[in-house]
Amino acid sequence: MKSFEQFLKEEISIKGNKGVPSEKITDIERRGAEKIRGANPQQLIGQIMGFLRQSQSFTKGKEKELEKLAKEVIEDAFGLVLANVDLDINMVKDGNKIAEFMKKEEEEKEKEEESQEEEEEEEEEESPEIDLEAEPSEEEIKLAVDIRKIMNNFIQGEAKNTKHILHSDKCKQGLKRIYGAKWEEIFDIWDNMSKIADKLDWIIPIQQKANMMENAPGGMAGCVSCRFPKKKKKKSKSDEELANDVLKSLEDGEDIMNKQEDIKKLLGVTKPTIKARGIDFPMLLHETVKGIYELLSAPGLPEEESVAQTVLMNTGLRDEPEDWKYGPKIAKDLTAFLNENERIDEIPNLREEFFRTLLDRETMETKDFLELVKGILTKTPEARAKVDSMIDDLINDLDYDNQMKRYEEEMKDYERKMKEWEQSQKGGGTTETPSEIEQLQNKEKDFSDMSQSEIQSMIDDAIDEGDFEKVRMLSQYLK
């Protein structure tokens, strides 16, 4: 009898997924067959290789400009999502550089994981705890894998559906700036490359493509590596001592800027990082969007480390060829369902925030998630009502966040004007009239009227954002 892990490795597929109805798979396959009817594989491969050579000719010497444009159009499309994310976007010469990058990233991630495991082992030795949680059942792991497969299909689907970014006015204007009158020529080359690659995803067998990717990574055109902040399972004794030391410094009126390193150590990594590499401009867009959705899907991974590792192990690189086939249609159907809500465009990036919320394991139980996705893909009234309710809740939450951001901007402006006024007083001149200063000082009363828990919450948020000047200012209102 084969082990459960071996069963997963051999038989994991989007087919049979509890969240994707079989009729949806059949419909996607029918559309795929229509797309490649009469196509000649050798001819398509020859065409895409020719376009690739032309693309390399256009790209040479323009790499930095194209990297800058890729970052601009991505930030324009995903501005709010990337508010606290570091983007590292680079164009590389060929697939061998892609392979080198992948190997280096894997080695660094392994070192980070080993270091984290050592820290956790030391913490357990200092304060051992009895783990009373039951081992997850095979059914629970299968359901977790089903969720991850849906996540991967949506991620790859959205990454392949980046044509709307390539066709955006901002992107076209950028290409005109870089290439002048020849911008349409390179645009058509990239557009045709993506169309041919889409057909080849349906012509080349999944297993064959998976073997090519695994055995010859030098033939890959792009990749992405994401680093996410990892939550500690529990606070160690040293963490508690460090937190008490920082809090005492605040209470004693010490300048919080002197405690930046301690705070960073206490919080760990505060910013997710997305590193995208591609041999051409469309691949940079593809891999960066893929990284963004991997970031959004992070809350969907199981909290139990062993379960998460099992899930990731069985839904990795070899699964991508299948995800490329089914993902674009699944992603389009999910997005189309969201677009039927008349409020979906009230707040920028609301679709992405919905995806993040949908995948957050705290939003709903695993079985409820799979049932909802299935309902979305089959357009049931129950799914419509649930999605509309979630969108209403998100708008309310995000609108509150926007109000807080505006309030914070006003406070920063207030602090700036106060500093200017103080400096002018020292210098004997004035840049603000007394009445204006008094009006600004009145805003400070808002904090004195807040509860201690509200002020503490704002301090916590400011620490997370790295705004230590704000932490210093707010801490004076803590009793």
Side-chain angles (χ1 to χ4, degrees):
M1 181 180 292
K2 57 190 175 185
S3 68
F4 179 60
E5 285 78 9
Q6 188 62 35
F7 170 82
L8 286 174
K9 286 180 182 178
E10 292 178 6
E11 303 187 31
I12 285 301
S13 169
I14 195 64
K15 297 179 181 180
N17 190 295
K18 292 185 182 299
V20 182
S22 59
E23 57 266 30
K24 175 59 63 178
I25 297 295
T26 302
D27 179 62
I28 294 173
E29 291 176 341
R30 177 183 60 78
R31 291 170 182 265
E34 290 175 357
K35 188 182 297 184
I36 62 173
R37 183 174 286 116
N40 184 315
Q42 294 302 321
Q43 186 179 14
L44 290 175
I45 292 173
Q47 288 176 350
I48 200 168
M49 293 304 294
F51 283 131
L52 181 59
R53 286 191 291 271
Q54 293 179 57
S55 173
Q56 290 172 336
S57 176
F58 269 91
T59 300
K60 190 174 182 180
K62 303 286 188 181
E63 291 87 352
K64 293 302 177 185
E65 292 175 87
L66 290 169
E67 290 169 2
K68 183 180 178 182
L69 177 59
K71 191 170 184 178
E72 287 175 0
V73 296
I74 288 292
E75 289 178 341
D76 184 63
F78 299 95
L80 292 182
V81 176
L82 298 173
N84 194 40
V85 177
D86 285 333
L87 277 184
D88 180 353
I89 300 177
N90 288 123
M91 194 172 289
V92 296
K93 183 179 179 181
D94 52 40
N96 291 325
K97 294 295 182 183
I98 298 290
E100 290 175 11
F101 172 78
M102 291 171 63
K103 182 179 179 182
K104 183 179 178 181
E105 284 296 302
E106 284 301 317
E107 289 174 350
E108 289 183 3
K109 285 182 179 179
E110 285 179 6
K111 288 180 181 178
E112 288 176 3
E113 289 173 1
E114 289 174 2
S115 176
Q116 186 179 6
E117 287 175 3
E118 289 175 1
E119 288 180 8
E120 289 176 355
E121 286 175 3
E122 290 175 2
E123 290 170 7
E124 288 175 0
E125 289 175 2
E126 291 177 6
S127 54
E129 291 185 3
I130 299 174
D131 186 6
L132 299 176
E133 291 186 8
E135 286 293 319
S137 65
E138 290 187 4
E139 180 62 23
E140 288 174 323
I141 294 179
K142 286 181 181 179
L143 291 176
V145 170
D146 276 353
I147 288 180
R148 184 63 190 180
K149 280 296 293 185
I150 291 173
M151 289 162 56
N152 285 354
N153 270 263
F154 195 85
I155 290 168
Q156 292 289 355
E158 284 298 307
K160 285 197 69 177
N161 292 338
T162 53
K163 296 183 184 68
H164 68 280
I165 298 179
L166 186 62
H167 285 256
S168 68
D169 289 338
K170 189 173 185 66
C171 185
K172 289 179 179 179
Q173 290 301 321
L175 292 176
K176 287 178 185 178
R177 186 175 67 245
I178 296 171
Y179 289 105
K182 290 189 174 182
W183 80 271
E184 287 184 287
E185 188 176 347
I186 185 60
F187 178 87
D188 289 339
I189 289 170
W190 289 335
D191 195 38
N192 285 320
M193 284 175 64
S194 66
K195 291 174 181 176
I196 294 173
D198 191 36
K199 289 183 178 181
L200 290 174
D201 286 339
W202 282 97
I203 290 175
I204 301 175
I206 290 175
Q207 193 62 40
Q208 182 180 338
K209 241 188 178 179
N211 290 338
M212 289 167 58
M213 292 172 64
E214 192 171 72
N215 300 325
M220 295 180 66
C223 65
V224 66
S225 174
C226 300
R227 306 289 179 90
F228 310 121
K230 292 187 176 180
K231 294 181 180 179
K232 291 188 176 183
K233 295 180 181 177
K234 58 185 178 181
K235 288 185 178 179
S236 66
K237 186 177 179 181
S238 59
D239 286 339
E240 292 177 358
E241 291 173 351
L242 194 58
N244 290 332
D245 180 50
V246 171
L247 184 58
K248 188 176 185 303
S249 298
L250 285 172
E251 292 171 346
D252 293 343
E254 184 179 338
D255 190 347
I256 194 65
M257 301 302 288
N258 297 332
K259 289 291 181 181
Q260 284 191 63
E261 292 303 317
D262 287 343
I263 292 174
K264 287 179 181 179
K265 184 178 179 182
L266 185 63
L267 296 175
V269 180
T270 57
K271 276 192 174 184
T273 302
I274 297 174
K275 296 182 181 180
R277 300 292 182 269
I279 63 173
D280 55 36
F281 183 73
M283 189 53 63
L284 273 187
L285 297 181
H286 173 95
E287 294 297 336
T288 307
V289 171
K290 178 181 167 185
I292 289 169
Y293 277 93
E294 285 185 7
L295 167 65
L296 293 171
S297 70
L301 284 172
E303 290 186 4
E304 179 60 43
E305 188 68 23
S306 61
V307 179
Q309 289 299 324
T310 301
V311 169
L312 291 173
M313 180 179 65
N314 292 283
T315 53
L317 189 65
R318 292 187 62 86
D319 284 341
E320 286 195 358
E322 183 187 62
D323 300 338
W324 293 338
K325 291 177 67 173
Y326 298 96
K329 179 58 178 171
I330 290 174
K332 278 185 178 180
D333 284 355
L334 283 168
T335 301
F337 196 82
L338 293 182
N339 289 343
E340 291 177 12
N341 184 288
E342 60 184 14
R343 304 189 68 191
I344 195 64
D345 290 313
E346 282 191 20
I347 293 178
N349 297 129
L350 186 55
R351 293 170 185 81
E352 289 77 20
E353 288 299 334
F354 178 88
F355 179 68
R356 190 207 306 267
T357 303
L358 178 66
L359 289 171
D360 193 330
R361 296 180 67 84
E362 295 183 1
T363 302
M364 64 185 76
E365 296 292 330
T366 301
K367 290 183 178 180
D368 293 334
F369 166 86
L370 294 170
E371 188 64 31
L372 177 57
V373 171
K374 189 174 182 179
I376 291 173
L377 295 176
T378 54
K379 301 181 179 180
T380 65
E382 293 80 8
R384 179 78 272 159
K386 179 63 176 176
V387 167
D388 290 346
S389 175
M390 290 175 65
I391 289 174
D392 287 341
D393 291 341
L394 268 176
I395 289 174
N396 291 334
D397 292 342
L398 292 172
D399 188 54
Y400 171 78
D401 290 343
N402 289 333
Q403 290 175 13
M404 289 302 296
K405 286 179 182 177
R406 287 194 293 270
Y407 181 73
E408 289 169 6
E409 288 172 1
E410 289 179 2
M411 287 307 304
K412 287 180 180 178
D413 186 54
Y414 156 69
E415 291 171 4
R416 178 183 60 78
K417 290 182 178 179
M418 283 298 295
K419 286 180 180 178
E420 290 177 356
W421 180 77
E422 289 172 359
Q423 290 173 358
S424 70
Q425 293 301 303
K426 292 177 182 178
T430 59
T431 58
E432 303 275 3
T433 65
S435 60
E436 288 175 327
I437 294 299
E438 289 173 3
Q439 291 173 13
L440 288 170
Q441 287 174 328
N442 287 335
K443 287 186 178 181
E444 208 167 348
K445 294 178 182 178
D446 293 338
F447 293 113
S448 60
D449 293 335
M450 286 185 179
S451 68
Q452 292 292 287
S453 59
E454 287 175 324
I455 294 172
Q456 184 61 59
S457 177
M458 292 184 71
I459 289 175
D460 293 341
D461 291 341
I463 290 175
D464 289 341
E465 294 167 4
D467 190 347
F468 301 113
E469 181 62 27
K470 183 178 177 182
V471 173
R472 182 194 62 75
M473 185 271 291
L474 288 170
S475 63
Q476 64 185 307
Y477 296 100
L478 281 177
K479 295 179 182 178

